[in-house]
């Protein structure tokens, strides 16, 4: 019975809760039992808030009984990525540096979910500061993929992806700077919505990139995603990037279908820019066929190569996360995980002109998309799949290989990741639908129509209570010598690190040098010639 309750969607559970056929206390208890049983093999949680959950569930039960029903999230058990501040509860960012941090107040999203009546089951695993890959040198082990416990969940919302897929929570919040909601959603076979820039408040969320961070829900189906987004969307003066727009009812149009909608297919992304496996390519072809059969007007469209969006994203975001963490990077670099260092340290090589050039290019990219958004209601692209083994991760891949996800972050548009099929070995495959800024409703509508026609979301991973997770023996990464750097460039890298005040030991310097050729080449690519008066993207404008 407990397993059956945990398999209810948010939409299904909310109907039972509202009619008082199901108690929030009963539902939360079922989830807590499942967490107790499966958390040891999944490592999805950093902190389990069982006592708080029971208190909130009892409060929800009393309110609903008294006729004070707050909406579809009332009494629903959820989890939060451990970068969302929770008053008095550990919010660590997955890092040793914040291992004792207990915020004095809640993040805006946390508060909004509480006000909607949600029940917090705990704080979920994240890669360090919502960055880096699956690391084995942090205070908590990396989350494991419920479809195969030796495999990767995707990052950085790793615990959110695992917990939702494994039915440990009904829904969760993640964050996305370059795919950190959509990647785990894809690898774990769930739904993830990266909301438009400015739609959902980031106040009280540990920052990765002020320019590119987005918050959003991760759920088992599109309707649940709409429900959670409804609870957290809205203007917040505490977030300097928040934008005041009309918030529609995201569930209202879900069942309108896609007939007549125009969808552009970014086929070049998965066939040329970021070549994918034959299985995933076939799944994308099948998704196109489904959307066309449903009545959408579907055609291939070409935009900039994925590498160009990745370059802009990395120069902006790495500069910002390096700056945010600079005091600790300078004073105590050994307290960071090495995967974080492999991503953040090379930002010391970016110059102020590189950052401004990337911002100018972001603005150009946004303006260039205006004709495309006029022509198409949504764009279809790929995410990831199938999930690799946890111990196959290589830190340098972040620099060496672009992916399809940064495009939406750079453009500030909503992007919905959902399951597009399964590999022969049983792993989920993922696609994404991008829409016009603040047109989440259309993206959700298309996603729901596809989901209902394909039913991939109805599959569940099979987990055995009490089973031990397979042992992993991740190889110790040995930074490769900088073969692509001339002696003068090696001296330049060392000089820039010294000028930045980074006191790196020999191994940390080797980590920096390994990534340096990629970072320097990336900086060179974003330095395209700009006319003198071209503004950077983040120029302030007042109403």
């Amino acid at each position: 019975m407990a397993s059956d309750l945990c398999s209810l969607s948010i939409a299904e559970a909310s109907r039972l809760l509202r009619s008082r056929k199901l108690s929030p206390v009963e539902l939360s208890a079922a989830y807590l039992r499942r967490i107790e049983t499966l958390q040891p093999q999944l490592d999805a949680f950093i902190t389990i808030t069982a006592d708080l959950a029971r208190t909130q569930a009892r409060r929800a039960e009393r309110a609903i009984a008294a006729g004070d029903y707050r909406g579809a999230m009332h009494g629903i058990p959820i989890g939060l990525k451990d970068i969302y501040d929770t008053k008095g509860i550990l919010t660590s960012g997955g890092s040793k540096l914040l291992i004792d941090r207990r915020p004095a107040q809640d993040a805006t999203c946390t508060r909004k979910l509480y006000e909607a009546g949600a029940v917090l089951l705990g704080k979920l695993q994240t890669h360090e500061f919502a960055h880096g890959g699956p690391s084995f040198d942090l205070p908590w082990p990396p989350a494991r993929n419920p479809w195969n416990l030796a495999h990767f969940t995707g990052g950085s919302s790793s615990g959110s992806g695992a917990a939702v897929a494994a039915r440990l929570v009904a829904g969760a919040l993640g964050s996305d700077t370059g795919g950190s909601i959509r990647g785990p959603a894809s690898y774990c076979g769930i739904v993830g919505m990266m909301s438009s820039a400015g739609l959902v408040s980031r106040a009280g969320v540990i920052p990765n990139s002020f320019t590119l961070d987005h918050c959003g829900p991760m759920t088992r189906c599109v309707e649940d995603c709409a429900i959670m987004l409804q609870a957290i969307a809205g203007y917040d003066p505490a977030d300097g990037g928040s934008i005041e727009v009309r918030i529609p009812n995201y569930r209202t149009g879900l069942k309108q279908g896609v007939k007549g909608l125009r969808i552009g297919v970014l086929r070049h992304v998965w066939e040329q820019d970021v070549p994918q496996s034959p299985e995933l390519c076939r799944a994308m072809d099948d998704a196109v066929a489904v959307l066309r059969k449903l009545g959408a007007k579907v055609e291939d469209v070409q935009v900039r190569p994925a590498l160009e969006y990745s370059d802009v994203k990395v120069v902006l975001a790495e500069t910002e996360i390096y700056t945010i963490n600079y005091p600790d990077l300078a004073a105590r670099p050994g307290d960071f995980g090495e995967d974080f260092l492999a991503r953040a340290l090379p930002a010391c090589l970016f110059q102020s002109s590189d950052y401004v050039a990337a911002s100018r290019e972001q603005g150009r990219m946004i303006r260039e998309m205006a004709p495309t958004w006029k022509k198409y209601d949504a764009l279809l692209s790929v995410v990831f799949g199938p999930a690799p083994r946890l111990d196959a991760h290589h830190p340098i891949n972040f620099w060496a290989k672009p992916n399809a996800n940064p495009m939406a972050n750079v453009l500030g548009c909503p992007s919905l990741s959902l399951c597009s099929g399964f590999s022969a070995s049983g792993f989920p495959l993922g696609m994404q639908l991008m829409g016009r800024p603040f047109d989440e409703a259309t993206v959700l509508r298309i996603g729901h129509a596809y989901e209902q026609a394909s039913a991939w979301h109805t599959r569940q991973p099979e987990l055995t209570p009490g089973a031990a997770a397979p042992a992993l023996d991740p190889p110790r990464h040995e930074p490769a010598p900088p073969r692509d750097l001339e002696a003068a460039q090696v001296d330049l890298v060392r000089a820039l690190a010294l000028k930045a005040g980074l006191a790196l030991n020999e191994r940390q310097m080797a980590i920096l040098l390994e990534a340096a050729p990629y970072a320097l080449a990336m900086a060179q690519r974003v330095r395209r010639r700009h006319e003198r008066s071209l503004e950077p993207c983040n120029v302030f404008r007042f109403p």
Side-chain angles (χ1 to χ4, degrees), residues 226-249:
I227 290 169
M228 283 198 80
L229 182 63
Q230 197 76 53
I232 60 175
Y235 176 69
D236 179 16
D239 177 359
S242 187
I243 299 174
E244 193 164 6
V245 295
R246 185 185 68 85
I247 307 299
N249 185 321

Side-chain angles (χ1 to χ4, degrees), residues 518-538:
Y518 303 100
L520 293 172
M522 187 175 291
Q524 185 64 35
R525 289 195 297 268
V526 300
R527 292 174 195 158
R528 60 180 291 174
R529 186 173 181 84
H530 295 106
E531 55 271 26
R532 184 180 295 273
S533 61
L534 184 67
E535 293 180 338
C537 189
N538 54 350

Side-chain angles (χ1 to χ4, degrees), residues 252-303:
T252 299
L254 286 181
K255 298 181 180 179
Q256 291 180 0
V258 299
K259 188 174 182 178
L261 293 182
R262 299 160 299 173
I263 301 174
V265 178
L266 302 180
R267 184 177 302 278
H268 67 92
V269 172
W270 67 83
E271 290 187 351
Q272 301 168 28
D273 300 354
V274 192
Q276 300 296 318
S277 68
E279 284 183 312
L280 187 47
C281 290
R282 285 194 295 272
M284 294 303 297
D285 287 340
D286 291 344
V288 170
V290 169
L291 292 169
R292 186 172 282 127
K293 185 177 181 180
L294 291 172
K297 298 177 180 178
V298 185
E299 64 182 26
D300 291 357
V301 61
Q302 187 99 9
V303 297

Side-chain angles (χ1 to χ4, degrees), residues 197 202 209-214 316-317 320 355 362 409 537-538:
R202 303 169 301 177
S209 164
F210 298 112
T211 301
L212 300 173
D213 284 351
H214 300 244
L316 291 174
E320 291 179 359
Y355 182 83
Q362 182 189 12
N409 298 84
C537 189
N538 54 350

Side-chain angles (χ1 to χ4, degrees), residues 25 28-29 31-33 35-36 45 47-58 78 89 119-123:
V25 173
S28 297
Y31 273 103
L32 288 171
R33 288 194 296 272
I35 291 169
E36 183 179 10
F45 284 85
T47 303
I48 298 169
T49 54
D51 291 341
L52 174 63
R54 294 184 185 103
T55 298
Q56 291 177 329
R58 288 193 294 269
I78 56 125
I89 301 169
V119 174
L120 181 64
L121 297 174
K123 307 296 291 297

